[in-house]
Every structure is written in structure tokens, then in C-alpha cells.
Amino acid sequence: MLSTYKTVKETNSHEIIIQKSRFIAHLSRSENESEAQQFIDRIKKEHWNATHNCSAYVIGERNEVQKANDDGEPSGTAGVPMLEVLKKRELKDTVVVVTRYFGGIKLGAGGLIRAYGSAVSEGLNNIGIVKRTLMSIIHTEIDYHWLGKVEHALRESPYELKKTDYLEQVDIQTYVPIEQTTDFQEWVTNLTNGQATTKVGKQAYLESVITK
């Protein structure tokens, strides 16, 4: 698993108008080629009457899978420019389909390259990009009378609270950078005068918004 990477914030769409043609960028996360193709097929089905549904995706820790499809536009004028935007933004596990409804004005090869690239770029700006950082989830178990002090300290700290389970004891789950797990456990121990029990749980990605 990558320690950190960037991807699109959520599955969503954004439309722009260029020379009376509608360009709708549909973006989504995709962890494998099958998921990417399913997303592309769904958009094509929804926009079956569009002039073109061009697509691109980049998948894998080292961008092992990269595909681009012009869907009837002149070769190299749609899918490749779309893919280049994904790569320039350093995105991973991301798929995009740009639906075009022709408005009657031909754009030429250069115009098409700019239009499809702009559709993806503006779509990303509008929908948002997140940075995903691999973290340890640390469980802190405390008696209820420690809850206020620990929650306040966490809010004032650089650590990110994941969730709190109110059981026989309170189980506070916190995102902690993997290299800081020992420091965090010592911090909690000092904070509670040794009355807390900490346990390193699973690893999970914490997302922070880069754009939007």
C-alpha cells in the first residue's frame, strides 16, 4: 500500500460549454480496470444519445494501467489529453469520461485537445482532489471520567479523531502517522497518568482535501 497518494474527492460530474458544445466530465475513483470499465459503461448508457463519450483512466501504485479512448473523435484529440491531465495532477486510481454533445461548430484538432483537457481540469477543480495518507488507527480505552480531558487534548493536538465508541469503557479511535505510534501512546499515557490502555489497530487512509 502506498504511504500517500492523490485521487478525485468523489464520484461527480461537471459541465462546461465550448463553442456551443457541451462537455460533461464524469469523474470517479477506481481501484482496478474492471471498476473503471463499469463506470465508463454506466456513463455511456446514461448518455447513449451523446455525440461522444471519451474516456481515460490511470490505475495502480506505479500507474501500471493507463488507458485512453477517443470514442470516435479524431485520434489523439480526446482520450490522451484527458489522460495527460490525470497524470499531470499526479492522480491515481481515477477514471474520467467526458461526454460531448456537439453544438454545431467544429473545433479542429487543436481545439478538441484543449476542450477535452479543459473539461477534465475544470471538473477536477470543481469536484475536488484529496490526498490520502496511510495511518495507524490507535484505540485508546479510558474510564468515562477521563473523556472530557482526553477529547479536549485531542482537539488541541495534530492528531485526527476517527470515532468514539461508548462501551463499558470509552474507546477513542485516532488516526496517527505510522512513525508516531509510540510517541502517541506515550502522550496518552502521560495525559491520563497511566490510566489509559492503548492498542494499535488496523491501518487506514486519512483524506485531506487539496482542491475545493
Side-chain angles (χ1 to χ4, degrees):
M1 298 173 72
L2 287 172
S3 59
T4 183
Y5 70 96
K6 292 186 286 188
T7 189
V8 66
K9 180 182 176 184
E10 62 187 3
T11 299
N12 215 327
S13 301
H14 179 69
E15 178 176 335
I16 62 174
I17 306 294
I18 299 176
Q19 296 282 47
K20 297 184 179 181
S21 281
R22 296 171 60 202
F23 291 86
I24 310 168
H26 313 270
L27 283 139
S28 184
R29 298 182 191 181
S30 180
E31 294 185 355
N32 55 60
E33 218 170 345
S34 177
E35 286 184 4
Q37 195 56 56
Q38 287 175 20
F39 179 76
I40 293 167
D41 291 343
R42 177 169 70 80
I43 298 301
K44 283 186 172 184
K45 187 175 181 180
E46 290 176 4
H47 294 271
W48 59 271
N49 58 336
T51 315
H52 304 280
N53 284 294
C54 307
S55 59
Y57 52 84
V58 56
I59 296 169
E61 293 186 4
R62 292 173 295 279
N63 300 341
E64 296 92 336
V65 181
Q66 300 180 27
K67 294 289 177 65
N69 190 298
D70 295 313
D71 194 43
E73 291 282 29
S75 179
T77 62
V80 170
M82 291 162 57
L83 179 63
E84 287 304 311
V85 173
L86 299 182
K87 291 164 62 178
K88 186 176 181 181
R89 295 289 189 100
E90 300 179 335
L91 302 184
K92 297 184 183 298
D93 294 351
T94 303
V95 56
V96 60
V97 180
V98 174
T99 298
R100 182 189 184 190
Y101 287 92
F102 182 55
I105 299 175
K106 293 185 177 181
L107 300 180
L112 287 172
I113 291 170
R114 288 189 295 273
Y116 279 100
S118 294
V120 178
S121 185
E122 292 193 30
L124 288 167
N125 291 342
N126 185 268
I127 296 167
I129 294 171
V130 295
K131 179 182 179 182
R132 305 190 82 214
T133 303
L134 192 62
M135 297 278 197
S136 289
I137 304 298
I138 297 192
H139 296 254
T140 301
E141 290 189 356
I142 52 173
D143 290 331
Y144 277 82
H145 69 269
W146 287 104
L147 179 59
K149 180 177 183 178
V150 173
E151 282 189 330
H152 175 74
L154 280 171
R155 283 194 294 270
E156 298 295 318
S157 78
Y159 304 112
E160 185 85 16
L161 179 67
K162 183 176 186 286
K163 71 172 184 173
T164 302
D165 290 331
Y166 301 95
L167 307 170
E168 187 174 332
Q169 285 194 311
V170 185
D171 179 14
I172 301 174
Q173 299 174 33
T174 311
Y175 290 102
V176 177
I178 294 169
E179 67 277 7
Q180 294 180 25
T181 54
T182 300
D183 292 340
F184 177 83
Q185 289 174 298
E186 290 177 354
W187 177 73
V188 171
T189 297
N190 293 333
L191 181 66
T192 62
N193 298 326
Q195 298 303 302
T197 300
T198 58
K199 180 178 68 175
V200 180
K202 295 181 180 179
Q203 293 182 348
Y205 282 104
L206 176 64
E207 297 187 357
S208 55
V209 178
I210 296 175
T211 62
K212 184 66 175 174

